[in-house]
Each structure stands twice: as C-alpha cells, then as structure tokens.
Amino acid sequence: MASEPVNQLHILLIPYLAPGHTIPMIDMAKLFAQRPNVMVTIVTTPLNAIRYGSTLQQHIKSGLPVRFLELPFPATENGLPEGCESLDALPGLHLVTNFTAAVDMLQQRLEQCFDSLNPRPSCMLSDKYLLWTGDTAAKCRIPLVIFDGMSCFKQLCTHHLYASKVFNDFPESEPFVLPGLPDRIEITRAQLPTEFNPSRFTMPEWLERVRESESRAYGMVINSFEELEQDYVNEFKKLKRGKVWCIGPLSLSKSNDSGKSLRGNSTSSDDQLYLKWLDSKEPGSVVYACFGSISQITPPQLIELGLALEASKSPFIWVIKAGDKAQEVEKWLSENGFENRIKDRGLIIRDWAPQLLILSHPSVGGFLTHCGWNSVLEGVSAGVPMITWPQFTDQFLNEKLLVHVLGIGVGVGAPGVVHWGEEDRLGVTVKSEQVKTAIEKVMDPGSEGNERRKKAKALGMVAKKAIEEGGSSHHNLTLLIQDLLELANVRSQKPLNSNDQKKLAGPDDFIY
Ligand code: UDP
C-alpha cells in the first residue's frame, strides 16, 4: 500500500566548523526556511550556535522554522583547549589533526539522536569537509547533498587538472594554460590549489576521501549565481548530470544592517563607529582590506601592506588579524608611528570586522581581498572592484576569475601559494610597491578604472536580482526543493521499481 505523500521537507544542515563554511550555511538555512513547507535543523556545537545563532534569533522568534541541534564538542578529549570549537580558534596548526578527530566524533553523537528528531529529516545537506556525513546519511536512509563552498569555475578547473595532470610537465613558476576551460587562463604550478600543490600539512588521503564523498553525493549546492560564471556552471552541470544548484550569493539573504553586522563575531557598538567613519568619507573613495578568517599573514608581510595603504593616499579600513604575532604587529603600528601618521585617513580594525556592513557602504570603492570565495562573492554583490592578493586553496583560481574572466579585479602579483602554517618559511613574497600599484589602478578615476567600476556595479545588480523572486538563484532553490521533495516521495513508496531507481540515480552511485 502506498504511503501518504510527503509534502514537507526537513533538512538537516551540517556546516563545517569554520567561519568561511558556517556563515554561508547559516544564510542558506534562512533561505530554505523562508520557503513554504521547508524546515531546517542546523547541526552544530554549543559555542557555534551562540556565535552564529544571533543572526537568526529574530527570525526564529517570528516563526521561521529553523532550530539548532547542539552536539557537545569533544575539545579537551582530543587535546584541544576548552572552548576551541572552530578552526579559527586553534592555537596552532599542529592541532589540526586533533580538531579533525574531534569533528569526526560528532558523527556518533548525531547518529545517537537522529531517531529522536521530529519530524524525521528528509535529507542531509552537509559541508564537503565533513566526511562522515555520507555514512550517516546512508545509515539513516536519506539523501546527502554536499555544500561545496567554492565556485563552479574552481570545480571545473579541478576536474580538468585531475584528468590531465598537465602541471606535471611544467616547472614551479612557468605559466601554463588551464586545460578544458571556456576561457584561456594561465596559471603556474606554484599557484595551484592544495590538491596539486601540497604542503607538509596536506593529507593527500584525506583530500582523496573528500573527492570520493563528493562523487557519491546526490548533488551539490554552490554559493554562486549562474550569470557570474554561466559557461562554467553549464559545463559543471554536465559533469554532475544536472544535480548542481547555484543558489547564491547567500550573503544577500541579509537585508538589513543588523543582519549584515551580526555575522560570526561582530559587536554592534563598534559597528556604529565604523559606519560613522565611513559616512565622513567621499563616495567610492575608501579601500577596505581584509584577509578573511583564517589566513595568517606574517608581521613583515603585514608591514608591506600597511606601507602600501599609507602610500596609496586613499582612505582605508584595514582589518588586522595577527593572532599570536599581535604583539609584534602592535609594536610596529605604534613605535614606528604608523598609526599616528594615518590617523586621519585610515581606520584599523583588530581581528574581526563587520565585512558585509562595510562593503555595502557607498564610501567603499575598492576591496583588497585574499580571494576567499565568500569574500569574492560579497565584493561582487556589493558591486566594488577588487585588489586581489590570494594566499592558498582555491584563492588563486578565484583571482583568475575576477581578473581575467570578469575583469573586475587587479592582482598585486602574488607569485604562489603561501601554505597555511608555512608563512614564516617564505617571508615577504609581495612588496609594498606592488600592492600600492594595484590599489592605485583600482581606485584610478580615469577611464580604465571607470570601466572596471562599471562592470563591478553591473555585476552587483545582477547578483541582487539573482536572489530575488524570479531570479536564477531563487529559481534554482525552488528546483532543488522540488527535486528533494520528489525524492522523498519516491522513497516513501516502497519498494522502488526500476524506473524509480533510474530516476533517483545521482551523479554516480549516490548515497542514500
Ligand atoms: N569575515 C567577516 N569579518 C572578518 C573576516 C571575515 O565578516 O573580519 C567573514 C567574511 O565576510 C566571509 C567569511 O568571514 O563571509 C570569510 O570567508 P572567506 O571564504 O572569504 O575566507 P576564509 O575565512 O574562509 O579564508
């Protein structure tokens, strides 16, 4: 006998425990839960629920069907300091494996309480770095959709690099053309992402497991919008038999100032100060410089950046996250007189800035970024051109997209990956003069700068449209929900016949 049709979707959303991964998934939870008949349970740890939950509390109070499932994080059991529940809270990279072990222990904790979740989840949407979620989804007999956190451009580059291994034929710093892409883009081996350019901390077997778990998932959600990288989206969809949904930019789910400000650390009292400072500057005149949540720039390299900001003559906001080197950096800022010299023109924010709030202020005219994918999309959404200074992972590929495909960025000329944890070994790789030149190009009031600004502004408008009703990302979210509902319905009619089996077939032999 056929069972009742399933008309409600309950999504178990599981972010990886790092700001660049959790922030977009929190935004995603809101977008899903705003749709009729969709509810979301966010699986995270107590401190992360506090850190990111504030953005949603107001909505939850007014009835948004989102809730948090808090799993205690086994920090001390794994040799981590008490309260270390996020990658950016690690005191040192030697503890990454301990952190990974603690994250893996969440599997058992989730499985123990899965049956008590009411209603029973209909699918799992998990960050790609949570390798155990595939097994858990299979045990619970629900489909797994992966959130990749990077672009289709990156996906396609990676696919062709794995397939061709073309980089093996080239020395470290000799440019070669990325194979199989719709555009002609050159890169060097030194700039390739970790998969092809490992550091001493890279765990190749772990990366292989990430790939394998991606290929077994039912599909993939991408924080991007089709118009940004249409050719790459099309090609990537072909590789994944259509099971790819671009539903971003997720940061645009934040419509008001408090939503933009309450994102993973900010204290709103300081935010008012920053806004006032920005209000005092000319429209489009300010450079905002920030390297995301986990990059560790060495003090000598930070000094080069500071000198470039000073020499460029544009007003600037500089977010400094110096971690355990903070004392050294503070010493330079004060003793050398830098802070005093720039006090009328520069604002320094320590550790964490309300990035979305700042980027959406009309005084900001350029974004100096490390090219983390969230930051790239946030810059695109704000319609500002970018000064690109990639560090590692996908960031050099993101730079290629901004500079060579979209034409809205100018690179500082970073020669290659500065691996996470190996910053001191390489020393200064980019000099202040290079950074100054890139800043001046982006802020240039002449025709070249104007052309870039126009392009950036136009893309920003397209980004906003994509997420609104009738836009491509809004539509893709509808399609994804329909697809998952259909899947849940077919699953509820047991046993599956061969036609259903075919219909359900994911990119490969997907987890179910
Ligand atoms: N972020 C922020 N303030 C900061 C640093 C980072 O709000 O001072 C946010 C930023 O807006 C983005 C995320 O943290 O949403 C960083 O993600 P991204 O992919 O850009 O870089 P990652 O930190 O993963 O390297």
Side-chain angles (χ1 to χ4, degrees):
M1 199 181 70
S3 45
E4 289 289 299
V6 181
N7 51 22
Q8 197 195 34
L9 207 58
H10 177 190
I11 303 173
L12 208 55
L13 206 117
I14 320 181
Y16 184 71
L17 307 179
H21 296 249
T22 304
I23 288 173
M25 286 192 89
I26 296 282
D27 292 339
M28 196 190 299
K30 183 178 154 200
L31 287 178
F32 270 114
Q34 281 170 335
R35 296 304 184 92
N37 302 321
V38 181
M39 70 168 288
V40 178
T41 298
I42 301 170
V43 180
T44 189
T45 66
L47 287 182
N48 283 297
I50 295 172
R51 182 171 177 186
Y52 302 101
S54 51
T55 52
L56 290 174
Q57 282 323 324
Q58 204 55 37
H59 302 281
I60 294 173
K61 271 191 203 137
S62 32
L64 190 79
V66 174
R67 64 186 178 191
F68 284 87
L69 173 64
E70 295 177 24
L71 304 175
F73 191 68
T76 48
E77 278 167 78
N78 286 285
L80 298 168
E82 177 94 46
C84 177
E85 296 187 5
S86 177
L87 200 61
D88 63 331
L90 276 190
L93 289 187
H94 58 289
L95 290 172
V96 169
T97 37
N98 304 51
F99 187 75
T100 306
V103 169
D104 284 348
M105 285 171 76
L106 295 178
Q107 172 175 16
Q108 199 191 13
R109 295 180 182 196
L110 175 61
E111 288 175 9
Q112 274 164 356
C113 59
F114 185 86
D115 286 334
S116 62
L117 290 169
N118 187 21
R120 190 178 194 277
S122 23
C123 64
M124 199 179 264
L125 208 168
S126 142
D127 190 285
K128 71 169 176 187
Y129 289 145
L130 294 167
L131 297 177
W132 48 267
T133 52
D135 287 341
T136 302
K139 278 186 208 162
C140 302
R141 298 193 54 74
I142 54 174
L144 171 73
V145 174
I146 295 261
F147 172 58
D148 179 73
M150 295 174 184
S151 61
C152 289
F153 177 82
K154 193 271 171 177
Q155 291 290 349
L156 206 64
C157 292
T158 309
H159 170 81
H160 288 298
L161 284 166
Y162 269 121
S164 71
K165 305 262 187 316
V166 60
F167 47 87
N168 281 336
D169 305 336
F170 293 88
E172 271 264 300
S173 46
E174 188 178 318
F176 64 91
V177 177
L178 278 164
L181 302 185
D183 297 286
R184 188 181 191 280
I185 294 163
E186 291 192 345
I187 196 161
T188 64
R189 245 178 62 203
Q191 296 173 326
L192 289 176
T194 329
E195 294 90 319
F196 315 104
N197 182 13
S199 76
R200 68 193 162 95
F201 290 106
T202 307
M203 298 174 277
E205 58 301 335
W206 187 81
L207 284 171
E208 201 39 55
R209 282 175 62 208
V210 173
R211 267 189 96 202
E212 197 224 1
S213 112
E214 268 184 13
S215 72
R216 286 169 67 213
Y218 178 66
M220 202 178 268
V221 168
I222 303 276
N223 184 13
S224 184
F225 56 106
E226 298 208 351
E227 296 87 340
L228 182 73
E229 42 167 354
Q230 191 69 65
D231 293 345
Y232 297 86
V233 176
N234 295 346
E235 290 299 308
F236 186 50
K237 273 189 183 168
K238 279 187 211 156
L239 291 177
K240 291 281 175 187
R241 294 189 216 161
K243 300 295 182 194
V244 173
W245 297 272
C246 293
I247 62 168
L250 293 165
S251 60
L252 286 176
S253 70
K254 300 276 177 300
S255 46
N256 57 23
D257 277 2
S258 87
K260 284 178 191 158
S261 144
L262 290 169
R263 282 181 115 222
N265 261 1
S266 197
T267 54
S268 39
S269 56
D270 286 343
D271 294 356
Q272 291 315 311
L273 273 176
Y274 308 149
L275 286 180
K276 221 169 139 202
W277 187 90
L278 281 164
D279 286 342
S280 73
K281 302 289 174 262
E282 293 292 316
S285 66
V286 174
V287 175
Y288 167 67
C290 181
F291 283 77
S293 64
I294 55 171
S295 296
Q296 309 192 12
I297 317 291
T298 59
Q301 190 63 89
L302 278 175
I303 290 171
E304 293 294 318
L305 167 58
L307 293 174
L309 287 167
E310 181 181 9
S312 78
K313 304 281 183 266
S314 294
F316 62 87
I317 293 184
W318 180 16
V319 187
I320 303 182
K321 188 175 186 299
D324 57 0
K325 309 272 173 45
Q327 248 184 347
E328 199 180 324
V329 174
E330 289 303 325
K331 196 164 169 236
W332 181 78
L333 288 172
S334 56
E335 284 182 10
N336 153 288
F338 177 85
E339 224 169 347
N340 197 35
R341 289 200 303 276
I342 55 93
K343 67 177 185 311
D344 296 330
R345 193 161 62 80
L347 175 68
I348 294 176
I349 300 180
R350 269 110 184 146
D351 292 331
W352 191 265
Q355 179 155 304
L356 273 195
L357 198 66
I358 292 173
L359 281 176
S360 56
H361 194 284
S363 295
V364 174
F367 178 17
L368 196 162
T369 172
H370 73 309
C371 301
W373 184 242
N374 293 294
S375 294
V376 165
L377 271 184
E378 289 161 15
V380 165
S381 305
V384 290
M386 284 169 255
I387 300 125
T388 58
W389 188 346
Q391 302 293 310
F392 49 70
T393 63
D394 59 329
Q395 295 161 13
F396 280 86
L397 293 175
N398 299 339
E399 173 182 63
K400 304 283 172 198
L401 180 70
L402 286 172
V403 177
H404 300 291
V405 180
L406 302 172
I408 59 166
V410 174
V412 299
V417 165
V418 180
H419 284 296
W420 205 42
E422 294 187 359
E423 296 84 357
D424 285 323
R425 191 172 60 81
L426 286 178
V428 168
T429 57
V430 178
K431 302 294 282 179
S432 72
E433 192 55 38
Q434 292 172 258
V435 187
K436 174 179 172 270
T437 306
I439 295 176
E440 285 175 350
K441 269 194 173 167
V442 163
M443 302 309 280
D444 167 40
S447 62
E448 198 190 310
N450 270 337
E451 196 50 39
R452 202 176 290 112
R453 262 185 294 282
K454 256 202 252 165
K455 276 190 195 161
K457 218 179 196 116
L459 256 183
M461 313 255 278
V462 179
K464 287 183 187 86
K465 282 218 170 87
I467 203 112
E468 284 168 7
E469 201 160 343
S472 61
S473 293
H474 190 275
H475 179 61
N476 285 336
L477 187 64
T478 310
L479 293 179
L480 171 58
I481 291 169
Q482 278 169 0
D483 192 311
L484 291 173
L485 266 176
E486 202 177 319
L487 202 53
N489 269 302
V490 178
R491 275 309 294 173
S492 72
Q493 320 287 315
K494 290 175 194 162
L496 297 180
N497 63 35
S498 59
N499 268 348
D500 292 334
Q501 296 276 19
K502 262 196 216 130
K503 196 168 172 192
L504 289 179
D508 289 308
D509 192 10
F510 76 91
I511 291 166
Y512 201 76

